[in-house]
Structures are given as C-alpha cells and as structure tokens.
Coordinates of all heavy atoms in Angstrom, one line a residue:
A1 N -69.7 69.6 1.8 CA -68.8 70.6 2.6 C -69.8 71.8 2.9 O -70.5 72.2 2.1 CB -67.6 71.0 1.8
D2 N -69.5 72.3 4.1 CA -70.4 73.5 4.4 C -70.0 74.8 3.8 O -70.6 75.8 4.0 CB -70.5 73.6 6.0 CG -69.1 73.9 6.6 OD1 -68.1 74.1 5.9 OD2 -69.0 73.9 7.9
D3 N -68.9 74.7 3.0 CA -68.4 75.9 2.3 C -68.8 75.8 0.8 O -68.3 76.6 0.0 CB -66.9 76.1 2.4 CG -66.1 74.8 2.0 OD1 -66.6 74.1 1.2 OD2 -65.0 74.7 2.4
S4 N -69.7 74.9 0.4 CA -70.1 74.8 -1.1 C -70.9 76.0 -1.5 O -71.7 76.6 -0.9 CB -71.0 73.5 -1.2 OG -70.2 72.4 -1.2
V5 N -70.6 76.3 -2.7 CA -71.2 77.6 -3.4 C -71.6 77.2 -4.8 O -70.8 76.5 -5.5 CB -70.2 78.8 -3.4 CG1 -70.8 79.9 -4.3 CG2 -70.0 79.3 -2.0
N6 N -72.7 77.5 -5.2 CA -73.2 77.4 -6.6 C -73.1 78.7 -7.3 O -73.4 79.8 -6.7 CB -74.6 76.8 -6.7 CG -74.7 75.4 -6.1 OD1 -73.7 74.7 -6.1 ND2 -75.9 75.0 -5.8
Y7 N -72.8 78.7 -8.6 CA -72.6 79.9 -9.4 C -73.5 80.0 -10.6 O -73.8 78.9 -11.2 CB -71.2 80.0 -9.9 CG -70.2 80.1 -8.8 CD1 -69.4 78.9 -8.4 CD2 -69.8 81.3 -8.1 CE1 -68.5 79.0 -7.3 CE2 -68.9 81.3 -7.1 CZ -68.2 80.2 -6.7 OH -67.3 80.2 -5.7
R8 N -74.1 81.1 -10.9 CA -74.9 81.3 -12.1 C -74.4 82.4 -13.0 O -74.0 83.5 -12.5 CB -76.3 81.7 -11.6 CG -77.2 81.9 -12.7 CD -78.6 82.5 -12.3 NE -79.6 82.7 -13.2 CZ -80.5 83.6 -13.2 NH1 -80.5 84.5 -12.3 NH2 -81.4 83.7 -14.2
F9 N -74.1 82.1 -14.2 CA -73.8 83.1 -15.3 C -75.0 83.3 -16.1 O -75.4 82.5 -17.0 CB -72.7 82.5 -16.2 CG -71.4 82.3 -15.5 CD1 -71.2 81.2 -14.6 CD2 -70.3 83.1 -15.6 CE1 -70.0 80.9 -14.0 CE2 -69.1 83.0 -15.0 CZ -68.9 81.8 -14.1
A10 N -75.8 84.3 -15.7 CA -77.1 84.4 -16.3 C -77.1 84.7 -17.8 O -77.9 84.2 -18.5 CB -77.9 85.6 -15.6
D11 N -76.1 85.4 -18.3 CA -76.0 85.7 -19.7 C -75.8 84.4 -20.5 O -76.2 84.4 -21.7 CB -74.9 86.7 -19.9 CG -75.2 88.1 -19.5 OD1 -76.4 88.3 -19.1 OD2 -74.3 89.0 -19.4
L12 N -75.2 83.4 -19.9 CA -74.9 82.2 -20.6 C -76.0 81.1 -20.2 O -75.9 80.0 -20.7 CB -73.5 81.6 -20.2 CG -72.4 82.6 -20.5 CD1 -71.1 81.9 -20.0 CD2 -72.2 82.8 -22.0
E13 N -76.9 81.5 -19.4 CA -78.0 80.5 -18.9 C -77.4 79.2 -18.3 O -77.8 78.1 -18.5 CB -79.0 80.1 -20.0 CG -79.7 81.3 -20.6 CD -80.7 80.9 -21.6 OE1 -80.3 80.5 -22.7 OE2 -81.9 81.0 -21.4
L14 N -76.3 79.5 -17.5 CA -75.4 78.4 -17.0 C -75.4 78.4 -15.5 O -75.3 79.5 -14.9 CB -73.9 78.6 -17.6 CG -72.8 77.8 -16.9 CD1 -73.0 76.4 -17.4 CD2 -71.5 78.4 -17.4
C15 N -75.4 77.2 -14.9 CA -75.2 77.0 -13.5 C -74.0 76.1 -13.3 O -74.0 75.0 -13.9 CB -76.4 76.6 -12.8 SG -76.1 76.1 -11.1
V16 N -73.0 76.5 -12.6 CA -71.9 75.6 -12.2 C -72.0 75.3 -10.7 O -72.2 76.3 -9.9 CB -70.5 76.2 -12.5 CG1 -69.4 75.2 -12.1 CG2 -70.4 76.6 -14.0
H17 N -72.0 74.0 -10.2 CA -72.5 73.7 -8.9 C -71.8 72.5 -8.4 O -71.1 71.8 -9.0 CB -74.0 73.4 -9.0 CG -74.2 72.1 -9.9 ND1 -74.3 70.8 -9.3 CD2 -74.3 71.9 -11.2 CE1 -74.4 70.0 -10.2 NE2 -74.4 70.6 -11.4
N18 N -72.2 72.2 -7.0 CA -71.8 71.0 -6.3 C -73.0 70.3 -5.8 O -72.8 69.7 -4.7 CB -70.7 71.4 -5.3 CG -70.2 70.1 -4.6 OD1 -70.0 69.1 -5.2 ND2 -70.0 70.2 -3.2
S19 N -74.1 70.5 -6.3 CA -75.4 70.0 -5.7 C -76.0 68.7 -6.3 O -76.7 68.0 -5.6 CB -76.5 71.1 -5.8 OG -76.2 72.2 -4.9
V20 N -75.7 68.5 -7.6 CA -76.3 67.3 -8.3 C -75.1 66.5 -8.8 O -74.4 66.9 -9.7 CB -77.2 67.7 -9.4 CG1 -77.8 66.5 -10.1 CG2 -78.4 68.6 -8.9
W21 N -74.9 65.3 -8.2 CA -73.8 64.4 -8.6 C -74.2 63.4 -9.5 O -75.3 63.2 -9.8 CB -73.3 63.8 -7.3 CG -72.6 64.6 -6.3 CD1 -72.3 66.0 -6.4 CD2 -72.1 64.2 -5.0 NE1 -71.6 66.4 -5.3 CE2 -71.5 65.5 -4.4 CE3 -72.0 63.0 -4.3 CZ2 -70.9 65.4 -3.2 CZ3 -71.5 63.0 -3.1 CH2 -70.9 64.2 -2.5
P22 N -73.2 62.7 -10.1 CA -73.5 61.6 -11.1 C -73.7 60.3 -10.4 O -73.5 59.2 -10.9 CB -72.2 61.5 -11.9 CG -71.1 61.9 -10.9 CD -71.8 63.0 -10.1
A23 N -74.3 60.4 -9.1 CA -74.7 59.2 -8.4 C -75.5 59.7 -7.2 O -75.4 60.9 -6.9 CB -73.5 58.4 -7.9
L24 N -76.3 58.8 -6.5 CA -77.0 59.2 -5.4 C -76.1 60.0 -4.4 O -75.0 59.5 -4.1 CB -77.6 58.0 -4.7 CG -78.4 58.2 -3.4 CD1 -79.6 59.0 -3.6 CD2 -78.7 56.8 -2.7
F25 N -76.6 61.1 -3.8 CA -75.8 61.9 -2.9 C -75.5 61.1 -1.6 O -76.3 60.4 -1.1 CB -76.5 63.1 -2.5 CG -75.7 64.0 -1.6 CD1 -74.6 64.6 -2.0 CD2 -76.1 64.0 -0.2 CE1 -73.9 65.3 -1.1 CE2 -75.4 64.8 0.7 CZ -74.2 65.4 0.3
N26 N -74.2 61.3 -1.2 CA -73.8 60.7 0.0 C -74.2 61.5 1.2 O -73.5 62.4 1.6 CB -72.3 60.5 0.0 CG -71.8 59.1 -0.3 OD1 -72.6 58.2 -0.7 ND2 -70.5 58.9 -0.2
V27 N -75.3 61.2 1.9 CA -75.7 61.8 3.1 C -74.6 61.4 4.2 O -74.2 62.1 5.0 CB -77.1 61.3 3.6 CG1 -77.4 61.9 5.0 CG2 -78.2 61.8 2.6
Y28 N -74.1 60.2 4.0 CA -73.0 59.7 4.8 C -71.9 59.1 4.0 O -72.2 58.1 3.2 CB -73.5 58.6 5.9 CG -72.4 58.1 6.8 CD1 -71.9 59.0 7.7 CD2 -71.8 56.9 6.6 CE1 -70.9 58.6 8.6 CE2 -70.9 56.5 7.4 CZ -70.4 57.4 8.4 OH -69.3 56.9 9.2
A29 N -70.7 59.6 4.1 CA -69.5 59.0 3.4 C -68.8 58.2 4.4 O -68.4 58.7 5.6 CB -68.6 60.2 2.9
I30 N -68.4 57.0 4.1 CA -67.7 56.1 5.1 C -66.3 56.5 5.5 O -65.7 56.0 6.4 CB -67.7 54.6 4.6 CG1 -66.9 54.5 3.3 CG2 -69.1 54.1 4.4 CD1 -66.6 53.0 2.9
R31 N -65.8 57.6 4.8 CA -64.5 58.1 5.3 C -64.7 58.9 6.6 O -63.7 59.3 7.2 CB -63.8 59.0 4.2 CG -64.6 60.4 4.0 CD -63.8 61.2 3.0 NE -64.4 62.4 2.7 CZ -65.3 62.7 1.6 NH1 -65.5 61.7 0.8 NH2 -65.8 63.8 1.4
V32 N -65.9 59.2 6.9 CA -66.3 59.9 8.2 C -66.2 61.4 8.0 O -65.2 61.9 7.7 CB -65.5 59.4 9.5 CG1 -66.0 60.2 10.7 CG2 -65.6 58.0 9.7
E33 N -67.4 62.0 8.0 CA -67.5 63.4 7.9 C -68.6 63.9 8.8 O -69.3 63.2 9.5 CB -68.0 63.8 6.4 CG -66.8 63.7 5.4 CD -66.1 65.0 5.5 OE1 -66.3 65.8 6.4 OE2 -65.2 65.2 4.7
E34 N -68.6 65.3 9.0 CA -69.7 65.9 9.8 C -71.1 65.6 9.1 O -71.2 65.3 8.0 CB -69.5 67.3 9.9 CG -68.1 67.6 10.7 CD -67.8 69.1 10.7 OE1 -68.4 69.9 10.0 OE2 -67.0 69.5 11.6
Y35 N -72.1 65.7 10.0 CA -73.4 65.4 9.5 C -73.9 66.3 8.4 O -73.8 67.5 8.4 CB -74.4 65.6 10.7 CG -75.9 65.2 10.4 CD1 -76.2 64.1 9.6 CD2 -76.9 66.1 10.8 CE1 -77.5 63.8 9.3 CE2 -78.2 65.8 10.5 CZ -78.6 64.7 9.8 OH -79.9 64.4 9.5
R36 N -74.3 65.7 7.3 CA -74.9 66.4 6.1 C -76.4 66.4 6.2 O -77.0 65.4 5.8 CB -74.4 65.7 4.9 CG -72.9 65.6 4.8 CD -72.4 64.8 3.6 NE -70.9 64.7 3.5 CZ -70.3 64.0 2.6 NH1 -70.9 63.3 1.7 NH2 -68.9 64.0 2.6
D37 N -77.0 67.4 6.8 CA -78.4 67.4 7.1 C -79.2 67.6 5.8 O -79.0 68.6 5.1 CB -78.7 68.6 8.1 CG -80.1 68.6 8.6 OD1 -81.0 68.0 7.9 OD2 -80.3 69.2 9.7
P38 N -80.1 66.6 5.5 CA -80.8 66.7 4.2 C -81.6 67.9 4.1 O -81.8 68.5 3.1 CB -81.7 65.5 4.2 CG -80.9 64.5 5.0 CD -80.2 65.3 6.1

C-alpha cells in the first residue's frame, strides 16, 4: 500500500514495520492491485 509507514522506538531499539514479510514479497498480488514498483 502506498500509505505504509514504518515506526522506530529508539529507546526500545525496536522497529515496527510492513516491509519484511514471512514470505517472499508480492510484487504482484493476484487479487489485482496497483503497481508495486520494486
């Protein structure tokens, strides 16, 4: 999604994100989406 945001809590040395998934990233999802430019 083009509205994705990653967050960093520096004091906790923590990043909460939507960038690294538990599987190969879907450049193309068969449900049909706008182009996800690598």
Side-chain angles (χ1 to χ4, degrees):
D2 61 9
D3 56 23
S4 285
V5 170
N6 294 339
Y7 299 99
R8 180 190 184 210
F9 296 77
D11 290 347
L12 300 175
E13 299 184 290
L14 167 71
C15 170
V16 183
H17 66 94
N18 182 40
S19 289
V20 178
W21 289 357
L24 176 68
F25 178 72
N26 261 8
V27 176
Y28 181 70
I30 63 170
R31 68 175 179 266
V32 182
E33 278 281 5
E34 295 176 344
Y35 180 46
R36 304 171 179 180
D37 191 334

